[in-house]
Amino acid sequence: MSCYLLLMKAAVYHKHGPSQMVTPLEATVAHIPLGITAKEADTLIGTAPDRVTQSYGVLMYPTLMLGFPNALATKYGVPQVYSLRTWKRGGINATVAIDRTGKVAGRWTWSDSRPRTQSKFSIDNVLKRASKLLRLLVV
């Protein structure tokens, strides 16, 4: 019975708990307020961007930009030119989109497809440990 409860708890945690560790860069970018200047965003991140490019697109949300031409872009607004300030730290990329007034209009992060570190409480890690424990108890 207790083994069943342990497995149920692990399943609930896996469904609702964090499955990936958040890096300092991701946490910082997630808390950048919209409407601050590019210089203020640079200060919050701590360094100048690694790359600055121009992009033409539509921000659907502060965390999602559709590049132009994209069939969905015009459904969500008029495409605009944004200055994209991008930082790269250990396989994590962070971009802050600056509108033509010089203010932060969007921000997002993404990974270079490297495997992300899982929490020690992920379902995979819990089941591996439980399996090892059961093998020790049976032997």
Side-chain angles (χ1 to χ4, degrees), residues 20-127:
Q20 298 177 348
M21 304 304 280
V22 176
T23 66
L25 180 61
E26 290 170 309
T28 300
V29 170
H31 289 98
I32 290 178
L34 300 177
I36 65 172
T37 66
K39 186 175 181 178
E40 290 170 321
D42 292 354
T43 300
L44 287 173
I45 292 177
T47 62
D50 298 319
R51 184 176 73 237
V52 178
T53 59
Q54 300 295 311
S55 183
Y56 193 60
V58 175
L59 280 170
M60 286 180 56
Y61 308 104
T63 57
L64 179 61
M65 181 178 195
L66 295 175
F68 190 80
N70 180 317
L72 290 175
T74 55
K75 292 180 182 180
Y76 290 94
V78 177
Q80 297 180 41
V81 174
Y82 292 95
S83 173
L84 302 181
R85 304 171 72 75
T86 303
W87 292 261
K88 184 172 183 171
R89 303 286 183 270
I92 299 296
N93 298 279
T95 295
V96 174
I98 307 297
D99 64 18
R100 62 185 138 194
T101 67
K103 306 288 182 175
V104 172
R107 69 270 196 268
W108 54 88
T109 59
W110 75 95
S111 171
D112 283 337
S113 301
R114 69 175 172 82
R116 300 291 303 270
T117 305
Q118 287 190 345
S119 165
K120 65 181 178 179
F121 299 110
S122 72
I123 191 71
D124 295 331
N125 289 335
V126 169
L127 290 176

Side-chain angles (χ1 to χ4, degrees), residues 7-27:
L7 288 175
M8 289 303 296
K9 187 173 183 175
V12 168
Y13 184 83
H14 176 67
K15 175 115 173 122
H16 300 288
S19 61
Q20 298 177 348
M21 304 304 280
V22 176
T23 66
L25 180 61
E26 290 170 309

